[in-house]
Amino acid sequence: MDGGPSSAFARTSDHSMAFANSMYAMDNLVHSFTFDLNSRISEKLSNQFLATYSKLDDQRFTNSSPFPFIDILDGTGTTSNYMSLGEELFTHNNAVHNKIWNIKDDVTYFTGNHKITAGMKFEHQMADNSYMRNGTGYYRYASVNDFLTGAAPEIVCLTYGYNGEKNPTSRVQFNTLGIYGQDEWQVNNKLKLTYGVRFDGLFFNNSDLMRNNAIYNLDYNGRHIDTGKWPSSSLTVSPRIGFTYDVLGNKTLKLRGGTGFFSGRLPLVFFTNMPTNSGMIQNIATAVTKYKNGVVTYSDPRLAQFAGGIVTDPADIINKLGAPTTITPAQGTLPSSIAGVDRNFKMPQVWKSSIAVDYVLPTSFPWTVSGEFIYTKKINDVLLTNYNINTSDVANWARLNGA
């Protein structure tokens, strides 16, 4: 039940039914283009230039026309579903769009028993995330009779974009620049060493953000959440070294291993949560009825305005709920949930080491037995922190400060 007590049963179960138009499906579209140019400059020098573009669209869709979602209870005074209809709650304007540019250039030089590679990689990524639960409106009625006779609903909800925006989205844009060098050294006919270092810079674009001063002014034991800035630019250094040793000199028994730092991808879902929950892009307007032990303890007086039948126009719902249609950073607002990203955030990074043995069995067909030991230690990792938890006193850690 959106905006009120949850039902013990799903909307499609042996206790309830849902009309076909309340179903949804997913479209996952991927478009990718690649340009690869390999050049031999001389006998010792070569170059590879690689450029890629990817467009990924993941979007929910429904056969329903835009219409509020409606839950009708069974009239017993409990929160048991009876039937549901309308455009599915979480489908309207629910999509993720990614555009990724990659440009990479590697120069390789052969000298003696060394193969030296140096290069750079640039990546630009833009991610749009839109999520409007209750985007067409939500109504809940206590019984079929209430619904048929036009009684006031128990709950009315609507999520809408500020300044008349029909499809509000949260956007994160960032650039990464990597510079690296590597040497493969064939020390002798048994031993090969590979070593190198990589430098990666992460740079964000703050132009898509607005600070919500109402959020920023909240004081969590001296900590503040700034939803108007992405993390500061950062540099990640990743040295690595590895080896391969042909023990018998005939490639039947090999010892290999290595150690180094490795960086991961950016967890974009954590980042788009910040503008989505910043209170500057969209708003959730709600009027509810509250119960205790099955007895009504409070009913929002605005619900009476919805007696007489379903209001389908989002603009009329906003007007009846008296919800704001515009917002400024100075004005701000406090949404029901807040998400922020630390200004000192760094890319995830691990230190990984391994040692392994490969043995080719003397059979008439290729058959290799391997044993490997891998040790991994996290250097930088994503940490989720709940600022509502009061950590000023160890004895009070389990208590919520605010929330």
Side-chain angles (χ1 to χ4, degrees):
M1 304 297 181
D2 211 64
S6 298
S7 172
F9 310 107
R11 290 186 170 98
T12 52
S13 68
D14 56 350
H15 294 270
S16 56
M17 61 174 287
F19 287 80
N21 279 2
S22 65
M23 303 294 111
Y24 74 93
M26 288 289 298
D27 267 342
N28 304 103
L29 302 176
V30 177
H31 297 86
S32 183
F33 304 91
T34 301
F35 175 79
D36 189 3
L37 176 64
N38 293 274
S39 305
R40 183 179 179 183
I41 301 171
S42 69
E43 290 185 356
K44 294 185 176 183
L45 186 65
S46 63
N47 186 85
Q48 183 195 32
F49 176 82
L50 178 65
T52 64
Y53 170 74
S54 299
K55 186 175 185 292
L56 300 87
D57 300 296
D58 303 316
Q59 186 166 355
R60 288 166 66 129
F61 69 91
T62 176
N63 292 326
S64 173
S65 300
F67 192 82
F69 190 84
I70 303 168
D71 275 330
I72 302 174
L73 305 187
D74 60 6
T76 62
T78 65
T79 55
S80 298
N81 289 69
Y82 180 66
M83 67 176 65
S84 302
L85 62 149
E87 184 174 353
E88 202 271 335
L89 267 178
F90 308 98
T91 297
H92 183 75
N93 194 35
N94 186 344
V96 178
H97 304 285
N98 285 274
K99 294 180 180 179
I100 307 169
W101 284 95
N102 273 294
I103 299 175
K104 184 172 79 98
D105 190 82
D106 290 345
V107 177
T108 302
Y109 181 67
F110 295 86
T111 175
N113 52 359
H114 291 269
K115 177 184 176 183
I116 302 172
T117 302
M120 62 79 63
K121 178 184 177 183
F122 173 80
E123 178 179 311
H124 171 78
Q125 183 162 351
M126 183 277 292
D128 276 342
N129 183 36
S130 53
Y131 176 66
M132 294 180 68
R133 184 181 68 184
N134 315 309
T136 55
Y138 172 78
Y139 292 85
R140 190 179 85 181
Y141 289 88
S143 65
V144 174
N145 185 65
D146 281 2
F147 175 72
L148 294 176
T149 59
E154 291 189 330
I155 295 173
V156 175
C157 298
L158 177 70
T159 299
Y160 61 95
Y162 283 117
N163 301 314
E165 178 60 53
K166 300 297 184 183
N167 299 302
T169 60
S170 302
R171 173 170 292 184
V172 54
Q173 297 186 78
F174 68 92
N175 301 312
T176 60
L177 178 62
I179 301 174
Y180 46 88
Q182 175 182 290
D183 180 23
E184 292 184 26
W185 178 21
Q186 189 70 48
V187 181
N188 52 47
N189 62 349
K190 289 187 176 183
L191 177 63
K192 182 174 77 171
L193 295 178
T194 303
Y195 47 90
V197 64
R198 182 183 180 101
F199 301 89
D200 290 290
L202 178 63
F203 312 92
F204 285 93
N205 185 341
N206 289 317
S207 62
D208 300 310
L209 298 178
M210 289 189 295
R211 173 187 282 183
N212 184 335
N213 283 325
I215 293 177
Y216 185 75
N217 291 332
L218 294 174
D219 188 346
Y220 295 93
N221 296 325
R223 299 177 296 182
H224 297 269
I225 299 175
D226 189 349
T227 57
K229 289 183 179 180
W230 292 117
S232 304
S233 300
S234 61
L235 179 67
T236 302
V237 182
S238 304
R240 302 166 193 172
I241 185 171
F243 73 93
T244 301
Y245 183 64
D246 187 355
V247 179
L248 302 178
N250 59 4
K251 299 182 180 180
T252 58
L253 180 62
K254 289 184 179 181
L255 180 67
R256 56 182 170 85
T259 186
F261 288 6
F262 298 84
S263 297
R265 298 287 299 175
L266 188 66
L268 283 179
V269 66
F270 296 134
F271 281 71
T272 56
N273 279 340
M274 185 171 80
T276 299
N277 295 283
S278 68
M280 304 300 292
I281 296 175
Q282 60 190 32
N283 186 42
I284 302 176
T286 306
V288 302
T289 300
K290 295 182 179 180
Y291 291 85
K292 185 175 182 179
N293 298 325
V295 178
V296 175
T297 58
Y298 170 79
S299 180
D300 193 309
R302 294 174 296 175
L303 291 171
Q305 300 182 69
F306 294 90
I310 297 290
V311 178
T312 60
D313 187 346
D316 290 340
I317 299 175
I318 293 172
N319 183 58
K320 288 181 179 293
L321 291 176
T325 57
T326 61
I327 194 169
T328 63
Q331 175 188 4
T333 184
L334 289 178
S336 58
S337 62
I338 302 170
V341 182
D342 195 287
R343 289 280 288 164
N344 296 317
F345 178 88
K346 294 183 179 180
M347 291 286 283
Q349 188 179 44
V350 298
W351 176 22
K352 182 179 291 186
S353 302
S354 68
I355 188 72
V357 176
D358 300 322
Y359 179 63
V360 179
L361 295 176
T363 59
S364 59
F365 54 89
W367 191 0
T368 302
V369 177
S370 299
E372 186 168 11
F373 172 78
I374 300 175
Y375 171 80
T376 302
K377 178 180 176 61
K378 293 180 179 179
I379 305 301
N380 298 320
D381 200 7
V382 177
L383 174 65
L384 302 181
T385 302
N386 187 350
Y387 274 18
N388 273 318
I389 296 179
N390 182 1
T391 60
S392 59
D393 184 349
V394 175
N396 294 330
W397 272 21
R399 297 176 58 187
L400 296 182
N401 179 21

